[in-house]
Amino acid sequence: MKKLRKIIIDTDPGIDDAVAIAAALFDERLDIKLFTTVAGNVSVDKVTKNLLKLLAFWNKDVPVAIGSDRPLLREAINASDIHGSTGMDGYEFPESKYELLTKNHAVIEMYKVLMDSKEKTTIVGIGPLTNIALLLRIYPECVERIEELVIMGGSLGRGNQGALSEFNIAADPEAAKIVFESRVPLTMVGLDVGEKALVLSKEREEIQKMNRTGNMIDHLFKKYRGGSLDKGLKMYDGCAIAYLLAPEMFEVKETYVAVETQGTLTAGATLVDLDGYLGKVANSRVCVDIDEQLFRQWFLEAIEKCS
Ligand code: RIB
Ligand code: CA
C-alpha cells in the first residue's frame, strides 16, 4: 500500500506515548521520518532512553533526535506519578538502539526533514510543545512545509494537571501559546476525547495473548495510572494517532483557541472559544467528541498489526 503521510513524532514516552508509537510504526499509511524527544513525563534523558528501548523492541530504524530538556521559561514538571520513575515502568527492555541517535538537536533535525522533503510533512506532538515552539520561532519559513500539526493537548474544560490545565500544555504554556498563535494548520486532540479513549479489561485480556507487543503493553498498563484498570485506561496520545488514521471516529469543530500564560491559578488552560466571545478567526480544529466503541476497536486492530 502506498505510504500516504510523512510524519514526525515529537514525544515524551510515557506509557500512553508507547501505545501511540506502536500504532504509528506498524501502520502502512504512515511514513515516520523522525522521532524527537522532549522533557515532559520525565526528563529528556529518560524519555529518550525509553524511545530507544521501544525501537529496539520492534527493531525499527527511525532516526531519533534529542530535544529540549526543560520548558522555555518555567521549571520542568513531570508525570512520574502516572508513568513511574523511569517514565515507562512495568517491562524490562533488554536493549536500546543508541545508533539511531542523531548528532543534531531535535529542532535542527525537524527543520531538515521539513525542508528536504518535496511533500509537506505532518508533525504529531504528544508531549509538551517546547521543541515545536522553538522550531516555529527559529525557522518560521518551515510553516509552509507543515501539512498539519496534530497535538495531544488542552481541554475544553477540566484539566488533568491543574483544575483547568492539561499536562502537555501546563508543562510549557508559553510554548503552547507560540504554537497556537503560529497559524500552522493545527488539530487539537485534547482531554475531551482522551478521557473517553479507554482501554477496558476486555481489551486488556485480548492484547495479553495477541502478540509480544500486546503482552509488553499489558505489562506497562499494570503500572500506568492514567485512569484505572477497573474504570479504563486513558489512551491520550493514542488518540492523536487515531485521529490521523481514523478521523471519522471524531467530532471536530473549527474555532479559536487561546492559551492562558499569565494566570497564577490558570496558566496552561486552553480557552476553546466555541461561541466566539473573543471575535477571533479560528486557529484550530478541536476534537470535541469521539465514538468510544470505534476507538476500542481501532486500538485492538492497531495492536494486532504489531510484531
Ligand atoms: O495529558 C496527557 C499527556 O501528558 C500525554 O501526552 C501523556 O503522555 C502526558 O505527556
Ligand atoms: Ca505524551
Side-chain angles (χ1 to χ4, degrees), residues 194-211:
E195 301 276 350
K196 294 181 178 179
L198 298 172
V199 169
L200 307 176
S201 47
K202 175 178 174 296
E203 286 74 36
R204 281 194 55 222
E205 283 154 25
E206 284 203 43
I207 69 168
Q208 275 169 7
K209 47 189 182 299
M210 187 177 273
N211 53 32

Side-chain angles (χ1 to χ4, degrees), residues 6 19 23 27 64 84 147 156 158 179 182 185 191 207 233 258 283:
K6 291 183 187 302
V19 172
D27 194 294
V64 173
E147 178 178 17
L156 278 78
R158 309 300 287 176
V179 170
S182 69
L191 294 182
I207 69 168
L233 297 172
N283 60 356

Side-chain angles (χ1 to χ4, degrees), residues 12 16-17 41 83 126 152 160 166-168 236-237:
D12 63 334
D16 64 322
D17 300 69
N41 284 316
H83 302 269
I126 52 176
M152 189 281 133
N160 66 351
E166 177 278 324
F167 178 84
N168 285 338
Y236 299 116
D237 292 338

